[in-house]
Amino acid sequence: MNKTKALTQAGIMIALSQILSYVKFFEMPQGGSVTVASMVPVIFYSLLWGPKYGLLACTVYGFLQLILGGEVYHTMSIFLDYIFAFGLLGIAGFFNKDFKSAMLGSTLAMLLRYLMHFISGVTLFYMYAPEGQPVWLYSLLYNSFMVVEIAISLPVLAFLYKRVVEKKLLPNNN
């Protein structure tokens, strides 16, 4: 395994994810948005290089999201909405054996990001819930932008995996 190659590709994929995160279809009032598949480059990197490098790259991406425009309403939001939420995208790297497992792992990774935002919504943003609405329901609905993000990202990941990994255009680096 070539560490220089891994770090170079990580930098490129993190930068690509960051750039794509600025192309927004919709933005939520207290943070969160639907983008043009901004999670795809770092998840794809995780699938190529595995969890060790993937978790690191995705966590760095989370830091960049925070530093380059993140909104912090509470100190714990730094961890829940950025470091953990984006860092967990790297777990897709555990599921890089074949197409089916890659899609399962990518879905799980994005659902874990949704879970982090949900927990943040319940514990930190409860005051924004409309009167009479359960906080858990408010957070579930508010963070449903992630469902749209997943629906956009999965077909792109499937296309890339089929075209790049299965056709051996890039080696699986594990």
Side-chain angles (χ1 to χ4, degrees):
M1 189 178 302
N2 184 337
K3 287 185 180 184
T4 303
K5 182 178 177 183
L7 292 173
T8 302
Q9 284 183 8
I12 292 167
M13 295 303 209
I14 292 165
L16 197 54
S17 281
Q18 188 65 39
I19 291 165
L20 290 173
S21 77
Y22 295 128
V23 183
K24 298 176 183 178
F25 296 119
F26 183 77
E27 195 163 4
M28 301 297 286
Q30 282 87 39
S33 58
V34 175
T35 67
V36 60
S38 63
M39 295 182 288
V40 167
V42 291
I43 292 174
F44 191 68
Y45 174 83
S46 299
L47 292 171
L48 290 175
W49 286 95
K52 177 181 167 186
Y53 287 103
L55 288 164
L56 178 62
C58 291
T59 302
V60 169
Y61 175 50
F63 274 113
L64 276 180
Q65 284 289 295
L66 172 64
I67 293 166
L68 298 176
E71 298 178 35
V72 178
Y73 294 89
H74 189 282
T75 307
M76 280 306 295
S77 179
I78 294 169
F79 296 99
L80 291 173
D81 289 319
Y82 296 99
I83 298 169
F84 298 156
F86 289 95
L88 283 170
L89 294 174
I91 68 142
F94 284 108
F95 300 86
N96 59 359
K97 301 303 174 226
D98 57 27
F99 177 77
K100 195 175 190 177
S101 66
M103 293 305 99
L104 173 68
S106 298
T107 303
L108 177 62
M110 290 184 279
L111 287 173
L112 285 172
R113 178 179 166 203
Y114 182 21
L115 177 64
M116 289 296 104
H117 293 309
F118 171 77
I119 292 169
S120 176
V122 169
T123 59
L124 305 176
F125 294 90
Y126 57 86
M127 73 287 285
Y128 294 106
E131 190 172 329
Q133 184 178 54
V135 174
W136 67 267
L137 181 58
Y138 165 74
S139 184
L140 191 71
L141 294 173
Y142 182 91
N143 290 297
S144 64
F145 71 88
M146 280 300 302
V147 175
V148 180
E149 276 282 300
I150 293 168
I152 292 169
S153 298
L154 271 178
V156 176
L157 280 163
F159 175 80
L160 284 173
Y161 194 91
K162 289 271 189 193
R163 297 289 182 185
V164 175
V165 176
E166 288 186 355
K167 299 217 185 233
K168 308 277 191 242
L169 297 176
L170 281 177
N172 192 326
N173 295 302
N174 304 344

